[in-house]
Amino acid sequence: MRILLTGGCGFIGSAVVRHIIRNTEHHLLNIDCMTYAASEENVASIADDPRYQHQRISINDSASLEVALREFQPDAIMHLAAESHVDRSIDGPGAFVQTNVVGTYSLLDVARHYWNSLEGEKKDAFRFLHVSTDEVFGHLSMDAPPFTETTPYDPRSPYSASKAASDHLVRAWHHTYGFPAFVTNTTNNYGPYHFPEKLIPLVIINALEGRSLPVYGKGENIRDWLFVEDHACALVRAIERGVPGETYAIGARQPRSNIEVVRKICALLDELVPDPAGPRERLISYVTDRPGHDFRYEIDPSHAEKCLAWKAEHDFDAGLRKTVQWYLEHKDWWQPLREQRYDGQRLGAKK
Ligand code: TYD
């Protein structure tokens, strides 16, 4: 297949790019406009492969997108480009509406015209995968059953509202125009190349630097953690087998409270690189809660597991160990991000 993928220099996108080039025969055009969270280094290991190319184009730039589609002639589009950090969406929601809602509209519109220009088998086989989040379903109480494909939408943050809007657009394009699109909604990802503003990389790096580990509220909030390489595998299965109009809810069956996650990272670091000053749990600092903080996300992935013949390979302990080891071995990747581009003001600042 010839796959056009958006957001391939970000965290999840680059995992998909690496997976496709290493494990399949597909050709890939990565469309990434390189926002703060993107890096060429995330795809450096496969960038010289003749099946890979990257163009620095925004999904809001319809004219350039149109040319890219016409020239590359994709069989499928995987749409991963998005603003994704909830705290940033609270501080500045405009970028989330612009990229996640307007950008998805602009990509859908150009993609539909391209699809209309195709004929015969190429047109019938064309697929558009929109990669989304489980946060569109709102949040769960402790006892509620996990989200499934039929859970009603109830987004509660500017981020999740913008993703919900984009999901609705994609489904409307399918129902109204017959556009062969489908959606995946996935739980929290973690793993190598995760930008150090998110909980897991932030805690690993802060703990290594002996800085405080900011836990929002009481640390009781629960996330279902999926190792990013397992997610990449699921998305590739989805683009190869996904049925237009379908939804696939992808999760790892690995729910953990934030405080459990933070404690586990501390224990792993204490084992791998002991700190002469003492156990890292001493660095945990409970800080002011995130406004409107969603309590619990969890997915029942049964439908996706069955339809995509996929299952997350890593349990949380195995995936976290790999992740911590990766951050220990890749200081050259995260140190410049911390120094040049990441404003760490929030770290433990709000006691
Ligand atoms: P995050 O990685 O931002 O992902 P999301 O909000 O999309 O789930 O946060 C994961 C959880 O960790 C979430 O409940 C908020 C919490 N959190 C902290 O307690 N401290 C932090 O410094 C950050 C960034 C997140």
Side-chain angles (χ1 to χ4, degrees):
M1 265 200 278
R2 298 178 65 75
I3 301 174
L4 184 148
L5 181 145
T6 68
C9 292
F11 167 50
I12 301 174
S14 69
V16 177
V17 166
R18 295 190 303 273
H19 180 85
I20 287 177
I21 297 299
R22 283 183 190 148
N23 302 307
T24 76
E25 302 286 307
H26 304 316
H27 290 247
L28 203 57
L29 170 58
N30 173 11
I31 298 285
D32 195 309
C33 71
M34 307 304 287
T35 65
Y36 78 97
S39 167
E40 298 276 4
E41 283 175 55
N42 298 5
V43 291
S45 60
I46 55 82
D48 293 335
D49 192 287
R51 287 182 292 121
Y52 173 77
Q53 48 177 305
H54 172 207
Q55 287 183 24
R56 195 172 181 151
I57 295 174
S58 161
I59 52 170
N60 280 300
D61 178 356
S62 303
S64 303
L65 273 179
E66 205 183 310
V67 175
L69 279 159
R70 205 176 334 119
E71 288 179 357
F72 184 69
Q73 292 286 312
D75 302 303
I77 295 179
M78 299 174 81
H79 177 35
L80 288 97
E83 291 288 342
S84 70
H85 190 45
V86 174
D87 294 324
R88 280 183 189 262
S89 85
I90 294 168
D91 294 343
F96 287 71
V97 174
Q98 195 56 40
T99 299
N100 299 355
V101 186
V102 182
T104 298
Y105 157 70
S106 120
L107 177 66
L108 274 173
D109 208 40
V110 172
R112 180 171 70 92
H113 286 105
Y114 164 76
W115 171 68
N116 272 332
S117 75
L118 300 176
E119 285 171 0
E121 211 172 287
K122 181 135 176 146
K123 185 169 189 180
D124 293 343
F126 184 80
R127 295 288 179 269
F128 184 101
L129 164 57
H130 176 64
V131 177
S132 191
T133 168
D134 61 354
E135 301 189 25
V136 297
F137 300 124
H139 75 159
L140 298 165
S141 63
M142 195 57 132
D143 309 324
F147 303 128
T148 68
E149 287 76 7
T150 57
T151 305
Y153 273 41
D154 184 22
R156 295 158 29 101
S157 74
Y159 163 64
S160 54
S162 70
K163 288 299 287 186
S166 66
D167 295 7
H168 290 323
L169 288 175
V170 172
R171 293 197 178 99
W173 258 237
H174 172 69
H175 289 292
T176 308
Y177 305 112
F179 185 62
F182 57 98
V183 177
T184 53
N185 296 96
T186 310
T187 52
N188 285 61
N189 280 216
Y190 69 103
Y193 300 101
H194 205 179
F195 195 79
E197 63 189 350
K198 302 282 174 93
L199 178 71
I200 289 182
L202 182 102
V203 167
I204 296 172
I205 294 172
N206 276 18
L208 277 174
E209 293 180 338
R211 300 171 75 168
S212 72
L213 312 179
V215 173
Y216 298 170
K218 295 181 181 157
E220 288 168 346
N221 303 63
I222 294 170
R223 301 293 184 261
D224 175 4
W225 292 99
L226 174 64
F227 192 59
V228 68
E229 290 168 18
D230 287 337
H231 187 199
C233 201
L235 295 180
V236 173
R237 286 281 167 86
I239 201 66
E240 290 170 350
R241 303 172 186 215
V243 176
E246 267 280 3
T247 300
Y248 303 98
I250 299 175
R253 303 177 191 270
Q254 297 293 306
R256 299 287 185 282
S257 71
N258 292 340
I259 192 65
E260 266 182 278
V261 170
V262 173
R263 290 214 171 101
K264 194 141 257 176
I265 294 170
C266 290
L268 274 168
L269 286 174
D270 289 346
E271 176 201 319
L272 297 168
V273 277
D275 182 350
R280 264 113 175 164
E281 280 201 22
R282 73 182 193 285
L283 300 170
I284 291 174
S285 165
Y286 293 93
V287 300
T288 309
D289 211 353
R290 171 187 283 170
H293 195 174
D294 285 345
F295 177 62
R296 173 178 158 235
Y297 307 135
E298 190 179 337
I299 284 258
D300 172 356
S302 306
H303 176 71
E305 286 172 348
K306 188 162 151 257
C307 298
L308 305 177
W310 167 90
K311 204 171 184 341
E313 265 182 31
H314 295 79
D315 67 18
F316 187 62
D317 285 355
L320 191 65
R321 183 172 284 273
K322 273 194 188 173
T323 305
V324 167
Q325 267 159 347
W326 188 88
Y327 278 85
L328 287 174
E329 287 159 14
H330 291 83
K331 287 197 176 132
D332 53 333
W333 179 83
W334 55 259
Q335 253 159 0
L337 297 178
R338 292 277 277 195
E339 280 154 23
Q340 294 161 24
R341 298 196 294 181
Y342 181 63
D343 166 14
Q345 285 313 304
R346 208 183 160 94
L347 311 181
K350 298 183 180 176
K351 270 229 162 186

